[in-house]
Amino acid sequence: MATYKYEALDSAGKPASGTVEAESSEDAIQQIRGQGFFPTSVRQGGDGDGKKKGLLGGRGKSGGKKKKKPAKPAKAKKEKGEKKGIQIKLPAIGKVKIKLLTQFTRQLSTLQDAGLPLLRSLQILEQQQKPGQLKNMLGQVVADVEAGSTLSDAFAKHPRGFDRLYCKMVAAGEVGGVLDVILQRLANFMEKAQRLRSRIKGAMIYPTVVVIIAVGIVTGIMYFVIPKFEDIFKDFEITLPGLTQFLIDASSWVAGKNDGQLIPGWAVIVASPFIIVVFLKIFRKTQFGRASLDWTVLKIPVVGELVEKTTVARFSRTLGTLVSAGVPILEAVNITRDTCGNWVFERALQRVHDSIREGESFAVPLRESKVCDGIVVNMIDVGEETGDLDVMLMKVADNYDEEVDVAVQSLLSLIEPMLVVVLGTIVGGIVLALFMPLVKMIQAVSEAQ
């Protein structure tokens, strides 16, 4: 039996040291882990010249090297960082990308499931991140956890990266001692939500590109082509049909040739999408604006059905994930209400919250609000009666994810022929407006001969 000195991290990530009696370094490592520690270095004997077992890449390397002196703080590290150019911190603008956050959550879940201490897991992931907002946040989270803060409290200080839903689920995992399981569920939830958004965005790329190209082509025709025909028509001094005159007037507006016109029409066409988006964002920040826009969107044929199914899938998956994580039902409903993204559903979930607080059921106020199909309400009602509310909510979410795919395909099937009809009408109108005067010109020349 030999004596081994070790350095390790405890379950909270704090350093610890001591000695154990063991027949080999591997046996010593097993004993240390059995005491609830994660060893960073193990060496035989007490003189510092014996064998040293290196763990955690760089914390202790084999070969019996002497223990490193404490690193010089602040200045030396700063100079080294400046030399390599890796200490640049980006400003906190916008939110962390959901893709990066999902990847971080999945990796943290894997490290926790492997038994790595929380602090060391965060340090590893922070080192792996590319310079950016998430890396800066993780650096502050590591410092807070090292100072004794809980992980959920450390995350809560960075709402641009870790929202209320994220923090509450992490807190539930900490209380229940199943942080790895909760992180895995959270990663699954984020991946499915991201997949749903990607499908919708991907489906809208084609019609958006077609509309942008069509508007650009028509604007170019108005600016460059129509004025040439206008000069020809003026030379022949013929009376133009109403459709042709309207086209020429529209061309003059696009080119900014009208008397007293301050802004050319092409500039208005280019700026209009941005102006509309900014106006809608400002209008949506008001309570009336948000309520009216969300209500109006739900009433639009096909589009309203898609928005409804997407919102139901989101709120049922969010609520089911929170309930399965052990978050109290009232708090779970509040979080779901704040993250569902539609005012009509927020109002319905607020009624559900008030009903549960008064000791009533979940399904009754949801049925009265008429924002969900009957099958959704019935499944939630069955889940309440059987005690498997989270399971039923997840089934509703999975079912509606599939229905969203069908709704997206239906929307595309409707948009494509509509685009063809609209573009055909515009092009046909331009061609007809230009050829009607040409026919008159040909007739006049024929008669003159």
Side-chain angles (χ1 to χ4, degrees):
M1 299 287 285
T3 301
Y4 290 85
K5 281 193 172 184
Y6 68 85
E7 295 176 5
L9 299 175
D10 61 14
S11 59
K14 296 182 179 180
S17 61
T19 60
V20 293
E21 297 287 337
E23 296 180 355
S24 64
S25 60
E26 287 75 13
D27 186 25
I29 292 173
Q30 293 298 327
Q31 292 187 38
I32 296 167
R33 287 180 174 171
Q35 297 174 11
F37 296 112
F38 187 83
T40 58
S41 68
V42 178
R43 64 180 181 273
Q44 184 178 349
D47 55 359
D49 295 328
K51 285 186 177 180
K52 186 175 181 182
K53 179 74 175 178
L55 307 160
L56 288 183
R59 295 294 299 268
K61 297 182 180 179
S62 61
K65 292 184 180 180
K66 293 183 180 180
K67 190 175 181 181
K68 291 183 179 180
K69 294 180 181 180
K72 294 182 180 180
K75 187 174 181 180
K77 289 185 177 180
K78 185 177 180 181
E79 290 175 355
K80 184 178 180 182
E82 288 176 353
K83 185 177 180 181
K84 292 184 178 181
I86 59 174
Q87 296 296 325
I88 300 175
K89 288 189 176 182
L90 300 180
I93 301 176
K95 293 185 177 181
V96 175
K97 291 183 178 179
I98 189 67
K99 185 177 181 179
L100 291 177
L101 189 59
T102 303
Q103 183 180 15
F104 161 75
T105 306
R106 177 68 68 190
Q107 292 173 340
L108 182 58
S109 169
T110 302
L111 291 176
Q112 289 297 286
D113 186 51
L116 211 63
L118 177 60
L119 181 59
R120 183 57 184 160
S121 301
L122 293 171
Q123 290 171 341
I124 292 172
L125 295 179
E126 190 268 336
Q127 292 169 4
Q128 291 179 351
Q129 293 294 325
K130 295 180 180 179
Q133 190 172 1
L134 181 58
K135 185 178 180 67
N136 296 341
M137 289 181 180
L138 290 179
Q140 297 173 20
V141 168
V142 168
D144 290 338
V145 172
E146 194 171 11
S149 175
T150 63
L151 182 61
S152 57
D153 290 340
F155 282 157
K157 295 180 181 179
H158 308 281
R160 290 184 178 273
F162 309 97
D163 57 15
R164 188 180 173 193
L165 167 65
Y166 198 105
C167 295
K168 286 295 180 181
M169 287 195 64
V170 170
E174 289 177 315
V175 172
V178 288
L179 183 59
D180 56 334
V181 177
I182 296 301
L183 287 170
Q184 185 177 7
R185 291 177 182 175
L186 186 56
N188 292 335
F189 165 78
M190 295 170 69
E191 287 172 353
K192 290 182 178 180
Q194 183 183 4
R195 196 178 303 121
L196 179 62
R197 285 194 295 268
S198 298
R199 285 201 297 265
I200 296 174
K201 290 180 179 179
M204 299 307 297
I205 289 176
Y206 169 75
T208 302
V209 171
V210 170
V211 169
I212 292 175
I213 293 176
V215 170
I217 292 174
V218 172
T219 303
I221 292 174
M222 290 289 187
Y223 191 90
F224 296 104
V225 179
I226 304 301
K228 304 295 183 182
F229 281 88
E230 183 181 3
D231 295 337
I232 295 173
F233 299 152
K234 286 181 179 178
D235 292 340
F236 280 86
E237 297 180 353
I238 61 174
T239 304
L240 298 177
L243 182 60
T244 306
Q245 187 62 50
F246 171 78
L247 185 63
I248 291 176
D249 293 340
S251 174
S252 300
W253 176 79
V254 170
K257 296 180 180 179
N258 293 334
D259 295 336
Q261 185 176 348
L262 299 177
I263 303 176
W266 64 265
V268 175
I269 294 173
V270 172
S272 291
F274 301 98
I275 295 173
I276 293 172
V277 170
V278 172
F279 170 76
L280 290 178
K281 284 188 175 181
I282 296 174
F283 185 59
R284 190 175 173 80
K285 288 184 180 295
T286 64
Q287 182 68 19
F288 172 77
R290 188 162 179 267
S292 58
L293 286 176
D294 288 345
W295 183 85
T296 302
V297 168
L298 289 176
K299 299 300 180 181
I300 300 176
V302 183
V303 175
E305 181 182 358
L306 176 60
V307 172
E308 178 185 343
K309 292 181 183 300
T310 304
T311 307
V312 171
R314 181 189 303 154
F315 98 74
S316 57
R317 190 174 300 284
T318 303
L319 185 58
T321 304
L322 289 168
V323 172
S324 64
V327 178
I329 183 64
L330 288 176
E331 183 67 18
V333 173
N334 275 337
I335 296 172
T336 305
R337 178 197 63 201
D338 296 339
T339 57
C340 71
N342 187 281
W343 178 84
V344 178
F345 282 85
E346 287 179 11
R347 186 177 62 172
L349 288 172
Q350 181 60 47
R351 293 176 181 173
V352 170
H353 176 273
D354 296 340
S355 174
I356 295 174
R357 187 177 57 186
E358 294 173 1
E360 299 179 5
S361 67
F362 189 113
V364 172
L366 195 61
R367 182 180 288 109
E368 292 175 351
S369 63
K370 298 181 180 179
V371 297
C372 300
D373 292 340
I375 187 172
V376 176
V377 179
N378 291 336
M379 290 183 71
I380 291 175
D381 197 6
V382 172
E384 278 189 300
E385 293 180 1
T386 59
D388 292 328
L389 180 60
D390 55 335
V391 176
M392 286 297 180
L393 286 168
M394 288 300 188
K395 289 182 179 179
V396 169
D398 293 338
N399 183 43
Y400 268 74
D401 280 345
E402 296 177 0
E403 292 195 15
V404 166
D405 287 337
V406 176
V408 168
Q409 295 301 322
S410 300
L411 182 61
L412 285 178
S413 300
L414 179 64
I415 287 177
E416 290 179 5
M418 286 180 62
L419 287 176
V420 171
V421 171
V422 171
L423 295 179
T425 302
I426 293 174
V427 173
I430 292 175
V431 172
L432 182 62
L434 294 178
F435 273 88
M436 287 172 64
L438 292 179
V439 172
K440 285 188 175 182
M441 290 167 53
I442 293 172
Q443 290 177 349
V445 171
S446 300
E447 292 175 357
Q449 293 178 350

